Amino acid sequence: MNARKARQHEQVSAEIDAFAHWFAKPDPSAGHFLTLTLFAEAPDTARVARDMTAVFLRGAGVDAMVDDAQLIVSELVGNVVNHVVPERGLAQPGGSRRMDVSFKLWPKWLFIGVADEDSTPPLLPLGDVFSPGLMGELSEAVLPDSGRGLLIVQRLASAVWWTPGEGGGKTVWCRMDVGRGAEAGSPC
């Protein structure tokens, strides 16, 4: 097998391994887990989510991931605060919009999920719309009006996806590879 095929095989094996761990039943001896319940109408929701992200990751010994993970959580929580309209059966009229922020950390991966009460799928960006050469000094003018937050999440995470909730709602997930940023000098 040539070097290119070997790298490709190694990458596919790593993705399959991450996928298998994602669906594994949580085992407290194998990783660290945390779920926070927050409310979109609280004035400090985003700050609390960022602060708890840092506390969780530092407590788990992965300090190098804190900044990128805080930005990801901030963007995902911000999307709930700014865009989610709860379904009738999941929220009371005039009530607070609930979200759950979940962290699952294994030795190789950090999974972050933000669940909300809206079943509408997120609009995940497909990639760059414009060539970097066309951006020039007017980059703000040529970027789309929405989807910037999820584009940031896609750039920082190794994978981004969403799952529908059993009784309605959805969870937007991302996976970060532990150690990738520190070793390669790139974002986690």
Side-chain angles (χ1 to χ4, degrees), residues 165-182:
E166 285 184 28
K170 68 178 173 300
T171 304
V172 178
W173 292 99
C174 74
R175 187 192 85 227
M176 299 173 71
D177 296 339
V178 175
R180 180 177 138 201

Side-chain angles (χ1 to χ4, degrees), residues 36-40 42 44-46 48-49 77 97-101:
L36 308 168
T37 297
L38 303 169
F39 295 95
D44 57 351
T45 296
V48 169
V77 166
R97 293 172 293 153
R98 175 188 165 149
M99 71 183 90
D100 293 322
V101 181

Side-chain angles (χ1 to χ4, degrees), residues 65-140:
M65 299 182 78
V66 169
D67 292 339
D68 288 346
Q70 281 183 309
L71 182 54
I72 286 171
V73 166
S74 187
E75 292 296 339
L76 294 178
V77 166
N79 283 348
V80 174
V81 170
N82 294 314
H83 302 294
V84 163
V85 177
E87 295 174 22
R88 288 187 125 176
L90 297 176
Q92 296 295 324
S96 292
R97 293 172 293 153
R98 175 188 165 149
M99 71 183 90
D100 293 322
V101 181
S102 300
F103 302 93
K104 299 177 183 182
L105 178 66
W106 275 277
K108 294 182 186 179
W109 308 283
L110 169 64
F111 296 98
I112 299 171
V114 176
D116 61 53
E117 301 169 318
D118 184 353
S119 294
T120 306
L123 297 174
L124 297 173
L126 298 176
D128 295 329
V129 178
F130 297 98
S131 162
L134 296 175
M135 300 287 271
E137 295 176 16
L138 301 175
S139 60
E140 289 288 322

Side-chain angles (χ1 to χ4, degrees), residues 141-157:
V142 296
L143 285 173
D145 289 335
S146 64
R148 292 181 188 182
L150 286 175
L151 186 62
I152 290 169
V153 172
Q154 283 185 323
R155 295 285 190 228
L156 294 175

